[in-house]
Amino acid sequence: TAAALLLSLPTVALYSLGPVSSRSAVRPRCAAAMSDTATTESPMLSEWDSKKPIHVDTWVPKGADMDNRNKQWWIVDAEGMRLGRMATEIAKRLMGKHKVTYFPGSNVGDYVVVINADKVVVSGKKYKEKTYFRHSGRPGGVTVETFAQLQARIPERIVEKAVKGMLPKGPLGREQFRHLKVFAGSEHPHEAQSPEPIVWPEGSLATTRPTGKKQRIIK
């Protein structure tokens, strides 16, 4: 039998026979056959190989998009407006998230002017219980004051702190914060820039005075 014949052969002869079906010998022939078939049957293959690879560029803001001279000016009348809801919209305009050209790492935002900052409102018990912390840098130089105290002393600081907390932390956020102009009264020195008022949607919580037992204004 075949098995008995193989057992009778010496070990050197068995190694010289090689494997019965060698895949390494079949693969080159198959690959060559496939390439020949593809070349003859698919003329579009050579046409596709001759084309350059497709390169898609990611759009980034140019110098004109970040130039301060090309930025839009907006104005917000804070009289009777909720502090937090108003600050979110202001921060959005400063960062440029309202634009289709928004880019997280670039300063593509606009300027925002806030007037009547001394008439901003808060809900619940924040008027008497919300506190602001500052430190002079000296031992024991901690000062804590309530919303009512800070509004009576520096009303612009309330809006500035609320907006600054919503901006990026770092050089970009500091540059965007410089584009915020807050004034306690109804007058401001930026009439030459012709700021446009921000249009709030109907029923926005920023313009709706808090109502109810849990969200009444305490003054």
Side-chain angles (χ1 to χ4, degrees), residues 103-125:
F103 196 80
S106 299
N107 187 15
V108 295
D110 296 331
Y111 285 87
V112 179
V113 179
V114 181
I115 59 175
N116 294 324
D118 56 338
K119 299 178 181 178
V120 70
V121 299
V122 289
S123 61
K125 300 180 180 180

Side-chain angles (χ1 to χ4, degrees), residues 5-215:
L5 179 61
L6 290 175
L7 290 175
S8 63
L9 291 175
T11 308
V12 179
L14 288 175
Y15 281 109
S16 62
L17 291 177
V20 179
S21 60
S22 177
R23 293 185 179 181
S24 60
V26 176
R27 283 180 180 174
R29 292 199 299 270
C30 294
M34 289 174 63
S35 62
D36 294 341
T37 306
T39 306
T40 55
E41 294 182 0
S42 302
M44 296 295 294
L45 183 62
S46 58
E47 206 175 298
W48 176 262
D49 293 338
S50 63
K51 292 182 179 180
K52 294 182 179 179
I54 301 174
H55 180 70
V56 180
D57 290 330
T58 301
W59 183 88
V60 294
K62 306 301 186 294
D65 300 319
M66 297 179 287
D67 193 350
N68 292 338
R69 295 171 296 182
N70 299 332
K71 293 182 181 295
Q72 176 70 34
W73 283 72
W74 303 94
I75 186 170
V76 177
D77 188 356
E79 182 177 0
M81 300 194 68
R82 295 194 193 186
L83 176 62
R85 302 287 181 170
M86 178 189 67
T88 54
E89 184 63 27
I90 294 174
K92 186 188 301 182
R93 301 297 173 112
L94 293 175
M95 289 185 289
K97 284 191 172 183
H98 62 292
K99 300 180 179 180
V100 296
T101 57
Y102 169 70
F103 196 80
S106 299
N107 187 15
V108 295
D110 296 331
Y111 285 87
V112 179
V113 179
V114 181
I115 59 175
N116 294 324
D118 56 338
K119 299 178 181 178
V120 70
V121 299
V122 289
S123 61
K125 300 180 180 180
K126 299 185 185 72
Y127 185 78
K128 293 184 178 180
E129 296 183 359
K130 181 176 176 62
T131 58
Y132 293 89
F133 170 91
R134 73 177 188 273
H135 199 288
S136 65
R138 289 180 167 275
V142 178
T143 302
V144 180
E145 52 188 347
T146 63
F147 178 92
Q149 294 171 346
L150 185 59
Q151 190 177 38
R153 190 171 66 90
I154 310 176
E156 301 93 336
R157 191 69 52 83
I158 293 176
V159 178
E160 291 174 353
K161 282 181 172 291
V163 175
K164 189 174 184 179
M166 302 178 185
L167 296 177
K169 308 302 181 289
L172 178 61
R174 290 193 292 270
E175 179 62 26
Q176 292 171 347
F177 180 71
R178 295 188 187 100
H179 296 172
L180 175 65
K181 316 294 181 181
V182 185
F183 303 96
S186 58
E187 297 181 357
H188 62 90
H190 301 287
E191 294 290 346
Q193 283 72 31
S194 302
E196 297 183 6
I198 295 179
V199 179
W200 303 90
E202 185 177 356
S204 175
L205 293 178
T207 58
T208 305
R209 296 181 65 87
T211 58
K213 184 177 180 181
K214 293 184 178 180
Q215 295 198 5

